[in-house]
Amino acid sequence: MFKLRAPAGLILLSALLPACAPTATQPPDSTALTAAIQRAAASSPITALTMTPTTGGLRVNGRLNGRLFTAQFPTDWNQQAVYYTHGYTLPSPAQDTVATDLITQDDTGGLIPEAYRQGFAVARTVYDKRGFAVRSGIENTIALKRFIDQVGVQRSYVTGGSMGGSVLMGLIEKYPTDFVGALSACGAVSDWQFQVKYLTDFRAVFNYFTAGTAYALPGTEDVTRSAPGLKGETMVKALGPLFLKAKLNPRGPEQQLLDRIVSAVPGVQAKADITTFFNTLAAQLFGLDDINATAGGIFVQNTDTVYTSSLLSAEDNAALNRGIQRYTVSSPAAVAYQQDWYSATGRFQTKLLTYHNTADALVPFEHEARLRARVEAAGNTANLVQQVVDPKLETLSRVLFLKLEGVTHCGFTPAQNVFAWNELRQWVETGTRPQDGLNITRPPR
């Protein structure tokens, strides 16, 4: 559950947009395409290049600046390209990976295979590390684009999910003329200061309300760092009984405890369900040290945060604010890092379409409102469309006849992913702006 990328699936919509050819140029034959790739590779830091004919086109694998990449060109290539920026994975000594074949090993919920079926070249690269890797996601993706541009690309799109939404924002704002369209799914599209503050707030509130109970997590309670040595099984042993008892007695003390925790988290309307607790706490418990190390320190603080729950009395709210852990930014350089890699400015020329579950187990829906405020301040709303998807439930565990379930992270169907892609594509090709705020839970035909 902690490999936080877009959901998998290969179901595709059968209907294509009419009149989708970008220009009057003819697609190159396979011999010319192979020669163009070889020429581009000769002038780029490419190693271990292989080109493999497939039933649908040509697959290219290799290393660019030492980083693995995969690109695939369909037989009827329309001389356009779609790049995908993947989401967050928990820190690990293992290297980031990319599928050898982006079509048969799809993990984008049908998005990349659909673009490929429509005639687009598709491409992905790895990041330099697992964990917080927005900077290398931006740098490695633009390097891959520079290489593929030399093959004869006329225009490019970028798509991404979760942390990949942050990578996407950096790409379209730092490289304003490189992409004609961008599609973000469940993305951390505003800034990482908000995302990390949510993680630390959630942990701080959880620690306060579970202190002295059987549901407190062992080890360090310092919310500005990870919990070294903590195992996933330990989380299960602490949180499993809490949610089981709340399920058995919806009006009992355990459910009241869960409700108080989420109601006191500032700035986010979190769900009091098991998936939200596991995803959010795990990201903080196992990922925060890596985030701090990457940025050069902790870049959030709660010295002025007022924690308030409508479920508490004034006296209890005052006690909460006295008793909760307070912490400060460790260095201005860390704040500057997250602003550079990446906090959205709202200034971009690319047509950007975002879609987000209105409740998400890890990346709060509130990212979307924060992004819109910046786009409005920049006078750039003509380039932004935001659509929504109802929350999707998943079952985390079953105990006897009881299901412990909650909202998922990036809970989209292939039909929703492909509908959003076709909305963006039509916007770019025809200039017809999609409906802002549209609910695409059941995509219109």
Side-chain angles (χ1 to χ4, degrees):
M1 65 172 288
F2 300 129
K3 192 172 184 180
L4 306 176
R5 297 186 178 180
L10 292 174
I11 304 172
L12 306 178
L13 292 184
S14 59
L16 288 175
L17 291 173
C20 288
T23 69
T25 59
Q26 294 294 318
D29 60 41
S30 58
T31 303
L33 177 60
T34 300
I37 294 169
Q38 290 172 333
R39 286 194 300 271
S43 61
S44 305
I46 298 288
T47 58
L49 182 71
T50 63
M51 289 182 279
T52 307
T54 66
T55 55
L58 181 69
R59 187 178 73 236
V60 183
N61 303 97
R63 290 181 178 271
L64 175 60
N65 295 316
R67 304 294 184 249
L68 289 168
F69 73 88
T70 300
Q72 290 177 243
F73 297 82
T75 302
D76 57 347
W77 182 36
N78 61 14
Q79 294 182 280
Q80 299 183 83
V82 177
Y83 298 85
Y84 186 82
T85 57
H86 74 68
Y88 180 86
T89 53
L90 286 174
S92 165
Q95 295 295 307
D96 193 21
T97 60
V98 63
T100 303
D101 190 303
L102 303 181
I103 309 306
T104 63
Q105 300 170 311
D106 175 52
D107 65 350
T108 69
L111 174 60
I112 287 300
E114 177 68 6
Y116 185 77
R117 188 173 73 85
Q118 293 178 3
F120 290 80
V122 294
R124 290 177 63 167
T125 181
V126 300
Y127 304 161
D128 290 355
K129 60 190 283 294
R130 294 177 183 264
F132 183 45
V134 176
R135 178 173 185 170
S136 67
I138 294 170
E139 293 175 339
N140 294 359
T141 302
I142 199 64
L144 179 60
K145 182 183 182 295
R146 295 285 182 261
F147 162 59
I148 294 179
D149 278 350
Q150 298 178 64
V151 180
V153 174
Q154 295 183 353
R155 61 186 180 191
S156 299
Y157 295 76
V158 60
T159 64
S162 192
M163 184 182 73
S166 184
V167 174
L168 176 151
M169 291 304 305
L171 284 165
I172 65 174
E173 292 192 346
K174 289 178 178 291
Y175 304 96
T177 62
D178 275 84
F179 302 96
V180 294
L183 183 68
S184 170
C186 56
V189 288
S190 65
D191 58 271
W192 275 79
Q193 200 161 14
F194 175 66
Q195 182 65 33
V196 173
K197 180 68 159 53
Y198 167 61
L199 300 180
T200 53
D201 277 336
F202 199 104
R203 174 89 194 278
V205 174
F206 177 87
N207 287 350
Y208 176 83
F209 283 109
T210 59
T213 74
Y215 311 118
L217 294 172
T220 179
E221 294 186 353
D222 183 0
V223 303
T224 66
R225 56 172 299 191
S226 298
L230 184 68
K231 303 294 185 182
E233 308 90 83
T234 306
M235 287 185 64
V236 173
K237 290 179 180 178
L239 296 181
L242 171 60
F243 281 91
L244 179 59
K245 291 180 180 179
K247 181 80 171 182
L248 290 170
N249 185 6
R251 296 185 178 181
E254 284 76 19
Q255 186 61 56
Q256 293 174 13
L257 173 62
L258 295 172
D259 291 338
R260 285 196 296 269
I261 291 172
V262 296
S263 66
V265 176
V268 173
Q269 293 185 349
K271 293 289 187 180
D273 59 33
I274 192 168
T275 52
T276 297
F277 272 69
F278 266 87
N279 276 275
T280 305
L281 288 173
Q284 191 278 332
L285 291 164
F286 302 123
L288 194 58
D289 281 355
D290 168 73
I291 293 173
N292 293 343
T294 303
I298 185 159
F299 47 76
V300 297
Q301 63 185 27
N302 71 344
T303 52
D304 298 324
T305 301
V306 177
Y307 297 88
T308 303
S309 168
S310 61
L311 303 179
L312 299 178
S313 67
E315 292 78 8
D316 287 340
N317 275 317
L320 168 62
N321 282 279
R322 287 194 304 271
I324 200 165
Q325 179 186 343
R326 298 289 177 175
Y327 53 94
T328 61
V329 166
S330 63
S331 77
V335 176
Y337 182 94
Q338 77 83 28
Q339 289 174 340
D340 290 340
W341 308 102
Y342 192 70
S343 177
T345 67
R347 297 185 293 273
F348 49 85
Q349 301 174 27
T350 303
K351 290 178 170 59
L352 170 63
L353 191 152
T354 72
Y355 58 111
H356 212 126
N357 296 108
T358 54
D360 185 286
L362 181 64
V363 178
F365 178 61
E366 286 80 1
H367 271 285
E368 300 291 341
R370 291 171 63 85
L371 173 63
R372 176 169 288 276
R374 295 177 192 182
V375 171
E376 289 176 348
N380 193 30
T381 54
N383 284 324
L384 176 66
V385 169
Q386 294 174 299
Q387 297 183 343
V388 301
V389 179
D390 293 344
K392 181 180 180 181
L393 294 180
E394 65 173 331
T395 299
L396 188 61
S397 64
R398 293 175 181 266
V399 181
L400 299 176
F401 298 103
L402 296 175
K403 290 194 304 182
L404 297 180
E405 62 181 6
V407 298
T408 191
H409 173 48
C410 299
F412 309 119
T413 66
Q416 292 160 356
N417 292 326
V418 173
F419 177 84
W421 159 249
N422 282 333
E423 288 268 273
L424 174 65
R425 184 181 174 191
Q426 179 172 283
W427 186 13
V428 170
E429 294 178 357
T430 70
T432 302
R433 190 168 183 264
Q435 181 181 336
D436 196 32
L438 179 67
N439 188 316
I440 64 170
T441 304
R442 294 171 181 80
R445 293 185 180 275

